[in-house]
Structure formats: C-alpha cells, structure tokens
Amino acid sequence: MITSETAPIILVVDDIPANLDILGEVLKPYFRIYCATSGKKALAMVRKEPPPDLILLDVNMPEMDGFAVCRELKASARTRHIPVIFVTAMNETANEETGFAAGGVDYVTKPVCPPIVLARVRTHLQLYRHHQILEEKVRERTLELQQARDVAILGLSALSEKRDNETGDHINRTRHYVKTLAL
C-alpha cells in the first residue's frame, strides 16, 4: 500500500504559479508533489535527498529553459536516470524533437488534459521502477559471477599447487596481477 511516505515524488517545474496549481491538484492525491518556479531552483531541489522519482518540466522559463535544465540533469550521473516529461505550450514538432534530444521521456502540450497527464506520469514511473529493479538484478548477478570466478581461479590454483608448488604459486601471483590490472 502506498502511503504519503512511500508515494513517488514528483517535481513540477513551471514559472507560472497557476500551472503549478493545476498539475499539483491532478497529482496530489497519488504522489508527493514538490514545486519549483525556475530551472535553477529545480536543479537545487533535485540535489537534495530524496531526489524526485519523476520531473514535469516546463520549457519556457526565464534564465534557464527546460531543455537546458534537462540537459544538465542528464549530464550528471546522480540525476540522469530521473525521467523528465516536458509540459509546455510549444506544440511544434521541432520543439518535441529538441525535448527528446535533451533527454526527455515524454512531451505533453498545454493546456493539459488531467487524465492523460496522470496516465503518462504513472506509465513513466512504472517504467522507472522496472528499470531500477533490473539494474539491481544486474548488480546482484554481476557480484555472483565475480564471486564464482574468484572461487574457480582459487580452485584451479589450489589444484595446480597440489601437482607442483611453483605452478600454483605462479597462478596465484598471476591472479593477483590480473585482478589489480582489472581494477
């Protein structure tokens, strides 16, 4: 069950407070909502713990537009995985292409349709969660494979040592050299 402490965090970024209110009302029953009124404020908020699970980002903002904010997010190893959905009045195909090239995962035009925004947010959060689960499984499997490799090398070196002490020592030294070089 999702509680207010476990609900996904959505950061809504728009320089117009009315737009923040509209999106906040649509999403608040299901998610924890944080708002920022500029790209720079959004970047500062993203650096805090816990980071948002998804960002709804306006494109037209003073000082730093949404495309620049998204590019900066995607340039950082800490924030590149956070899905960004652009929410903007810019409905030209070229703008959409720019948004996807900047690293956005979706593009919604204003005025927003609340059920569509909600559906897209839920879809991208679900994809994000699946991605996190897969990454964790890959990390676990990689660790298992590394441990199995180390056990196999130790077993082979012990076996060789039983036949000839110098061969076993040579294999152990080579194993240490290869491990050091691999790091």
Side-chain angles (χ1 to χ4, degrees):
M1 178 175 179
I2 294 178
T3 65
S4 61
E5 293 84 33
T6 61
I9 299 170
I10 309 292
L11 174 60
V12 182
V13 186
D14 200 310
D15 60 319
I16 299 172
N19 292 335
L20 294 173
D21 291 341
I22 291 168
L23 288 168
E25 283 184 35
V26 170
L27 302 169
K28 200 169 228 159
Y30 312 100
F31 309 106
R32 290 182 283 169
I33 306 300
Y34 296 102
C35 296
T37 55
S38 73
K40 289 185 179 185
K41 287 180 184 176
L43 291 172
M45 290 178 79
V46 168
R47 291 181 183 105
K48 294 180 182 177
E49 289 295 330
D53 297 296
L54 185 136
I55 299 171
L56 292 173
L57 181 59
D58 184 26
V59 173
N60 289 322
M61 293 185 291
E63 294 181 37
M64 184 177 211
D65 73 12
F67 297 141
V69 172
C70 189
R71 281 191 285 273
E72 194 163 322
L73 289 168
K74 299 306 173 181
S76 168
R78 186 176 177 281
T79 58
R80 77 173 45 125
H81 63 280
I82 300 172
V84 175
I85 298 176
F86 289 105
V87 181
T88 181
M90 299 169 61
N91 60 1
E92 302 293 321
T93 302
N95 296 323
E96 243 182 285
E97 289 174 7
T98 302
F100 288 121
V105 296
D106 210 338
Y107 197 93
V108 178
T109 56
K110 295 176 187 174
V112 297
C113 175
I116 290 177
V117 169
L118 190 57
R120 290 185 181 192
V121 165
R122 284 181 170 155
T123 297
H124 287 290
L125 283 172
Q126 187 176 33
L127 289 170
Y128 176 59
R129 275 194 291 279
H130 288 305
H131 180 75
Q132 287 177 313
I133 290 167
L134 287 174
E135 279 187 348
E136 182 57 33
K137 286 183 180 188
V138 166
R139 274 192 294 275
E140 288 172 3
R141 186 66 180 136
T142 300
L143 181 61
E144 289 172 10
L145 289 172
Q146 288 171 342
Q147 290 170 341
R149 179 201 62 210
D150 290 346
V151 167
I153 290 172
L154 285 172
L156 288 172
S157 67
L159 180 64
S160 297
E161 193 173 287
K162 294 292 183 199
R163 298 189 73 183
D164 179 3
N165 282 344
E166 288 187 30
T167 302
D169 290 341
H170 172 72
I171 289 174
N172 272 328
R173 285 191 305 275
T174 303
R175 178 179 61 89
H176 289 294
Y177 294 143
V178 169
K179 190 173 184 179
T180 301
L181 290 172
L183 298 176

